[in-house]
Amino acid sequence: MKNKKALLSSTWIIAVLLIASIVYGIFRNDDPYQYFTGLGSTVDIEEDDSKYVFSYYMDGKEAIYSANIDGTNVKKLTELGTEKHHDPKFSYDGTKILFLSEDEEGVNSLYIENSDGRDLKKLASKNLHISEAVFSSIDDTIYYVATPLADGKKSEGEIEEGYDLYSVGINGNNNRKLTNKDYFSMSSLAVSEDGKEVFYSFYNGEKEKFYSYSMEERKEKETAISEQLPKESYSHQFSANGNKLLYTAVPTELQNSSPYEYELFLLEENNREAKQLTKLHSNISSPRFFHHNNKVAFLENTNWSSEPAKFRLRILDLDTEKLQTVTVDIEKPAANHLLSKTIDQLDNGLTIAILYTALAGLLTTYQYVHSKKVYLPVIISFCLTIAMFIASFIFAAAVNPWFGIGLGMVSASLFGCTLIVFIYAFVLKVIEKREKVS
């Protein structure tokens, strides 16, 4: 009698824990940055090389900050609501900054303010999702890359239109669409020193192509530097005159042995081969040329490819090849959210699978002890697996392909759990037969 009560109690406890884990997993915030404190993924340098502007997470909230070039005198420039502020850029005279603000649906809007954080203003159309923006070098114009808002909310396989180049005045006037190419992706915006060309890259299905858009001729053309790039390269940054390019890529000798180590390279228009600038065996992003010094700044991802990404700011002197780390002097929050972090870490797919298998195993044990229908839980679990598998195709075709893939992965996990329970039930049946023989 005591064993029966213990078995039932254990079954109910596991069932409650399983239901609670599933419900919590459905409604919890899955953002890996929700408790994070540290540098964001972008940095920019003021025209006189005296300051950085960057995004920084403070207890999960991403805002824009500035700091001296040595990391001191940190100032917060944007205040937060529910949106994340990122990808800041200095104007060429250093008096203004622009940045992108991401809402809860992942849609970016464009903002501009004074470099001291005052006079905040929203720019560009409300019907666009903006992925990147940069100031002109000679006038009060901002160039940005955007796609229609309806596409900004879709996954890659569902996008019907694409990205194009736009311009807008810093006062929000003269908002214009400059290209009509509907590119799958556009990035690496830069403006020439004379302000007559805008540089950018797009993926043509095989590799990144680099183009310049002539403001005088109102048309685009491929740059000479485009064909010199390797097939896979990322985090591109043009120099002001457009004849130098920083980018990250996996070194040729590591492509088979360490395909996730992205080092920094410098490509000059007149050179056939790029020069590898770093050997950090990590991942480099957001490279930036200094304006008056032969140096580059970049962010090194020290825990690639985990999330949240942990960056540190580095400066490389191109003359001496000396590399230094810049410590951003910013006060850390007091809260550590230990309990919430522990619950989030424990509540995962593996935990749910273990609880499901344990519940099915306890039900199998109960059936073995009281009714001898030892395979009943296995049959129910197998039917649930088949139903989930069929549902994955229905949802993939009728609702969302990615949701269907998710259900397919769940059904695969259920099948694995069911197989374990089946083996357990089979062992119980063997034990039962041996008991009858003896």
Side-chain angles (χ1 to χ4, degrees):
M1 190 66 177
K2 289 182 178 179
N3 290 337
K4 180 180 179 180
K5 286 185 177 181
L7 183 59
L8 287 173
S9 298
S10 300
T11 303
W12 278 109
I13 290 172
I14 296 298
V16 170
L17 287 174
L18 176 60
I19 294 171
S21 295
I22 294 173
V23 171
Y24 183 79
I26 292 173
F27 292 102
R28 76 173 179 180
N29 182 1
D30 283 330
D31 184 1
Y33 290 85
Q34 62 180 313
Y35 309 119
F36 181 63
T37 293
L39 281 168
S41 60
T42 52
V43 64
D44 197 32
I45 302 173
E46 192 174 9
E47 198 279 334
D48 63 2
D49 293 344
S50 66
K51 289 183 178 180
Y52 303 106
V53 65
F54 53 92
S55 67
Y56 195 92
Y57 286 90
M58 187 69 73
D59 206 13
K61 297 179 179 180
E62 187 179 19
I64 306 302
Y65 294 77
S66 67
N68 291 342
I69 209 69
D70 61 357
T72 61
N73 193 28
V74 176
K75 294 181 180 179
K76 186 177 182 181
L77 302 181
T78 64
E79 290 299 327
L80 293 160
T82 59
E83 299 193 352
K84 295 181 178 180
H85 301 165
H86 61 99
D87 203 19
K89 301 285 175 57
F90 273 115
S91 62
Y92 277 73
D93 60 7
T95 61
K96 296 184 181 296
I97 63 166
L98 60 78
F99 63 92
L100 301 183
S101 182
E102 180 184 334
D103 65 20
E104 294 176 339
E105 295 183 337
V107 176
N108 286 328
S109 299
L110 176 61
Y111 284 83
I112 185 174
E113 66 179 12
N114 295 338
S115 56
D116 60 3
R118 298 178 180 180
D119 195 20
L120 178 67
K121 184 182 298 182
K122 185 175 182 179
L123 301 178
S125 171
K126 295 180 180 180
N127 299 318
L128 295 173
H129 167 66
I130 301 170
S131 62
E132 192 172 347
V134 65
F135 283 99
S136 169
S137 55
I138 61 170
D139 56 26
D140 295 338
T141 301
I142 292 173
Y143 298 99
Y144 64 96
V145 170
T147 188
L149 183 57
D151 279 347
K153 295 180 180 180
K154 294 179 180 179
S155 56
E156 292 180 357
E158 298 178 302
I159 293 176
E160 297 175 358
E161 298 188 46
Y163 288 91
D164 279 292
L165 180 66
Y166 294 76
S167 67
V168 65
I170 62 172
N171 294 319
N173 56 349
N174 299 324
N175 196 358
R176 294 185 296 171
K177 185 176 182 180
L178 302 179
T179 65
N180 192 26
K181 298 292 186 177
D182 293 336
Y183 289 123
F184 179 77
S185 67
M186 291 179 71
S187 59
S188 309
L189 275 181
V191 182
S192 63
E193 287 179 310
D194 59 12
K196 295 180 179 180
E197 291 183 292
V198 182
F199 304 105
Y200 51 88
S201 70
F202 68 89
Y203 184 68
N204 71 348
E206 295 183 359
K207 64 177 291 186
E208 289 288 328
K209 291 286 188 178
F210 284 83
Y211 274 64
S212 66
Y213 181 88
S214 171
M215 297 305 299
E216 294 179 340
E217 300 176 5
R218 300 294 178 183
K219 64 180 183 180
E220 61 180 7
K221 64 179 180 180
E222 187 172 358
T223 64
I225 210 168
S226 184
E227 293 302 320
Q228 297 173 252
L229 283 170
K231 187 174 181 179
E232 293 187 5
S233 59
Y234 305 92
S235 299
H236 310 93
Q237 176 64 37
F238 277 105
S239 61
N241 56 15
N243 63 1
K244 293 182 181 181
L245 180 71
L246 292 169
Y247 69 89
T248 65
V250 178
T252 304
E253 66 273 14
L254 297 179
Q255 289 180 357
N256 293 324
S257 58
S258 300
Y260 302 109
E261 295 181 7
Y262 290 85
E263 303 290 355
L264 183 63
F265 291 80
L266 174 63
L267 180 61
E268 300 186 52
E269 191 174 53
N270 297 325
N271 294 341
R272 282 183 166 270
E273 294 186 3
K275 179 181 179 180
Q276 183 174 338
L277 300 180
T278 63
K279 293 183 179 180
L280 297 174
H281 305 288
S282 55
N283 183 277
I284 308 301
S285 65
S286 193
R288 292 290 183 268
F289 286 101
F290 276 67
H291 301 278
H292 303 288
N293 296 283
N294 195 25
K295 298 178 180 181
V296 295
F298 60 87
L299 296 174
E300 180 190 2
N301 187 339
T302 60
N303 66 331
W304 171 258
S305 58
S306 300
E307 286 193 301
K310 296 180 180 179
F311 292 100
R312 60 178 174 179
L313 180 58
R314 313 295 298 272
I315 294 178
L316 177 64
D317 189 314
L318 297 180
D319 293 325
T320 65
E321 298 185 356
K322 182 180 179 181
L323 183 65
Q324 68 179 94
T325 300
V326 177
T327 301
V328 179
D329 186 17
I330 188 167
E331 186 177 350
K332 302 297 188 295
N336 57 21
H337 303 285
L338 180 60
L339 179 59
S340 299
K341 288 180 181 179
T342 302
I343 293 174
D344 284 342
Q345 289 173 353
L346 290 176
D347 188 69
N348 52 49
L350 179 60
T351 300
I352 292 174
I354 291 173
L355 289 172
Y356 179 86
T357 305
L359 178 61
L362 287 169
L363 291 172
T364 300
T365 303
Y366 184 85
Q367 291 294 325
Y368 171 73
V369 173
H370 297 284
S371 68
K372 304 303 180 183
K373 294 180 180 179
V374 70
Y375 287 113
L376 181 59
V378 176
I379 294 171
I380 294 173
S381 182
F382 182 73
C383 291
L384 181 60
T385 301
I386 295 299
M388 190 75 71
F389 182 72
I390 295 173
S392 69
F393 286 94
I394 296 174
F395 276 95
V399 181
N400 186 304
W402 296 108
F403 192 65
I405 291 173
L407 285 177
M409 295 175 65
V410 172
S411 66
S413 299
L414 281 177
F415 179 77
C417 296
T418 303
L419 182 61
I420 293 173
V421 178
F422 170 77
I423 294 172
Y424 176 61
F426 178 79
V427 171
L428 290 179
K429 271 294 185 182
V430 171
I431 293 173
E432 181 185 8
K433 290 181 180 179
R434 289 183 177 178
E435 289 178 347
K436 288 182 179 179
V437 172
S438 60

